[in-house]
Amino acid sequence: MNFLIYLIVFFFSIHINADEINLYTTRHYDSDIRLYKDFTKQTGINVNIISGKAKPLEKRILEEGKSCKGDLFFLADAGRLYSSQKNGVFKKISSKVLEKKIPAQFRSDYWFGITKRARIIFYNPKKISSEDLVNLSYEDLTDKRFKKYIAIRQSNNVYNQSLIASLIENHGLEYTRSWTKKFVTNFSRQPKGNDRAQILSVASGESKLAIANTYYYGLMLSGKKGEEQKEAAKKVRPFFPNQQNRGTHMNISGIGVLKHSPNPDNAIKFIEFLLTHAAQEHMVNNTFEYPMIESVDPPSLITKMGGSFKQDNITNVSSYGKWQTDAFKIMQEAGWN
Ligand code: FE
C-alpha cells in the first residue's frame, strides 16, 4: 500500500516538473509574482522566477547556451530587447494572438511589448506656469529659457539612451548631436540618482524641470514609497511633451522566448496570458504603467495625471535599440556624465 502511494506521488511530481516554465526577469514588482500565481492556477504550469539585472542575466543565458533551462526573458526597455535579440538570446515566435493584440511598432518577431511607459516632463507649478509649457516638445528642451532648469539621470541610463535614440530615428544623427550639446547646458546639476530622484529635485525647488517615466510618479503618489515621497510628488505636475508632432515618447517592458527554451509552448501560453484583459489590468493597477491592449484603462491615478495625451504610436521601438550605441556616444561627447 505504501509503495502504491509512493508511486502515485512519484508520477505526480514528474507531471509537475514537466508543467513549468523558468522566467528570467529584470522586473522587480511583487505584484508580478502574484499575477504569475494566477497563471499557475489557470493552467497548472508553475513559474520559477530568476530575477536580476539585464546584463548579468543575459550573460548567464548566453554562457549556458544549449544547457540553459530558461524559457523566457522579461526586460524593461525596448533597446535592451533589441540588443538581446541581436545577441541571439531569443527564439523566433509566431503567434496570431500576440500579433493581433500588440501593435506592430511595439513588437518584433522575437519579443513582445507587454506594458508601455511614457518618459515625460515634471515641473514645479510654483516655479513655472503651465502656460510656459503649452505645446512644448522634447525638441524645445534646448531652449535658452530653460538654462540650468533640467534634472535628468546619467547617460548610462537605458531609458535616456532610448529617448535620445528616438530623436536620432526621427531627426538623424547630425540634428541629435547638436541638440544634445545644447540640452546638456540646460541641466540644473550633474546627473545623478534614479527617476524618482529627479522628481524629488523638482519638488524641493533645486530643479525646475525633471525628465522621468510616469510610473515612478504614480508610485510616489500612491504612497507605496512612503509619506515623504508622496508629499513631494504632490508638489510636482506632469507634462506630456510631443516629439515632432508624433506624440509622447513611449517605451515598453517586453518579453521573449529563449532560443533553447525547453518548454516553448508553455512559454508562449504565458506571454498570451500576460496580454489578457485581467492580467493587463492587474499589472497597470499595481505598477502604474500603461496597458498594451486598448480594452484596459490605465489606473485612475494615472489617467488623472495625463488626461488623454497623445502617445507616439508611429515610431517603432526597435529603433531605440538600433540607435542606442550612437545615442550613448553622442551623450558622452556632449559631456553628459
Ligand atoms: Fe523603471
Side-chain angles (χ1 to χ4, degrees):
M1 188 63 189
N2 273 350
F3 182 66
L4 190 65
I5 291 170
Y6 173 77
L7 262 187
I8 290 168
V9 170
F10 179 67
F11 281 113
F12 190 63
S13 70
I14 282 185
H15 175 76
I16 292 283
N17 281 338
D19 279 342
E20 66 174 11
I21 43 170
N22 295 316
L23 168 71
Y24 288 74
T25 180
T26 63
R27 285 171 62 91
H28 43 74
Y29 302 108
D30 294 340
S31 56
D32 279 8
I33 294 165
R34 292 203 301 276
L35 179 67
Y36 305 158
K37 287 193 175 133
D38 288 344
F39 174 73
T40 303
K41 245 187 252 163
Q42 282 178 28
T43 61
I45 301 165
N46 276 313
V47 183
N48 305 316
I49 300 159
I50 303 101
S51 54
K53 293 212 179 267
K55 279 184 183 156
L57 282 181
E58 185 185 281
K59 192 165 171 259
R60 179 171 160 185
I61 292 164
L62 290 171
E63 276 172 5
E64 288 177 356
K66 281 184 184 158
S67 61
C68 178
K69 296 272 185 292
D71 296 293
L72 292 147
F73 194 19
F74 206 163
L75 288 154
D77 175 90
R80 286 227 195 280
L81 286 157
Y82 178 93
S83 87
S84 286
Q85 176 189 331
K86 283 277 157 206
N87 292 338
V89 163
F90 295 125
K91 183 199 287 289
K92 199 171 179 175
I93 293 297
S94 96
S95 156
K96 287 272 168 283
V97 176
L98 297 178
E99 274 167 38
K100 207 175 143 202
K101 286 195 171 175
I102 307 169
Q105 70 274 18
F106 296 121
R107 59 177 155 82
S108 79
D109 291 340
Y110 294 84
W111 45 262
F112 304 91
I114 301 296
T115 56
K116 289 189 271 189
R117 315 54 208 277
R119 194 155 187 75
I120 66 161
I121 294 168
F122 293 89
Y123 68 100
N124 187 335
K126 284 202 177 131
K127 307 271 178 184
I128 285 190
S129 140
S130 60
E131 281 158 31
D132 289 342
L133 300 177
V134 173
N135 291 327
L136 190 78
S137 66
Y138 297 93
E139 287 87 337
D140 296 333
L141 287 172
T142 54
D143 201 314
K144 283 198 176 74
R145 69 191 160 113
F146 299 134
K147 195 142 198 84
K148 299 230 158 83
Y149 270 36
I150 301 169
I152 189 164
R153 61 204 278 187
Q154 293 179 308
S155 55
N156 63 7
N157 170 250
V158 75
Y159 306 144
N160 282 342
Q161 290 169 17
S162 285
L163 179 62
I164 301 306
S166 74
L167 288 171
I168 300 175
E169 172 71 6
N170 292 325
H171 295 287
L173 285 163
E174 208 53 40
Y175 171 94
T176 308
R177 201 169 283 126
S178 86
W179 182 91
T180 308
K181 273 186 195 143
K182 288 183 220 147
F183 181 57
V184 166
T185 65
N186 285 345
F187 287 2
S188 56
R189 57 176 193 173
Q190 279 292 318
K192 59 179 177 190
N194 58 18
D195 273 17
R196 278 181 286 118
Q198 315 313 317
I199 296 172
L200 289 171
S201 176
V202 169
S204 74
E206 179 193 29
S207 305
K208 294 195 179 73
L209 299 172
I211 311 281
N213 286 355
T214 45
Y215 55 89
Y216 289 98
Y217 182 64
L219 276 173
M220 291 167 83
L221 276 183
S222 74
K224 285 185 184 185
K225 292 289 167 190
E227 216 32 54
E228 216 172 292
Q229 296 214 0
K230 184 178 176 178
E231 288 311 309
K234 281 188 192 162
K235 293 183 186 155
V236 169
R237 301 274 175 278
F239 176 81
F240 292 76
N242 274 308
Q243 184 174 157
Q244 211 189 31
N245 297 320
R246 287 162 180 257
T248 295
H249 172 80
M250 302 303 289
N251 205 327
I252 56 164
S253 184
I255 193 166
V257 178
L258 293 176
K259 192 189 244 166
H260 303 295
S261 160
N263 304 297
D265 293 340
N266 288 349
I268 294 168
K269 254 185 227 166
F270 181 76
I271 302 177
E272 291 175 353
F273 165 82
L274 294 177
L275 271 305
T276 58
H277 188 97
Q280 289 273 301
E281 201 160 53
H282 173 95
M283 288 179 113
V284 300
N285 281 333
N286 284 286
T287 63
F288 308 107
E289 296 165 285
Y290 290 97
M292 185 55 72
I293 62 173
E294 270 175 21
S295 64
V296 173
D297 290 325
S300 64
L301 191 147
I302 290 296
T303 40
K304 255 189 260 157
M305 71 183 258
S308 53
F309 75 99
K310 185 175 158 198
Q311 298 185 9
D312 179 352
N313 285 325
I314 304 164
T315 309
N316 191 309
V317 298
S318 285
S319 64
Y320 305 169
K322 193 172 86 191
W323 295 115
Q324 211 148 58
T325 310
D326 291 287
F328 186 46
K329 226 173 109 195
I330 284 175
M331 293 156 94
Q332 287 194 307
E333 278 168 13
W336 186 337
N337 77 310

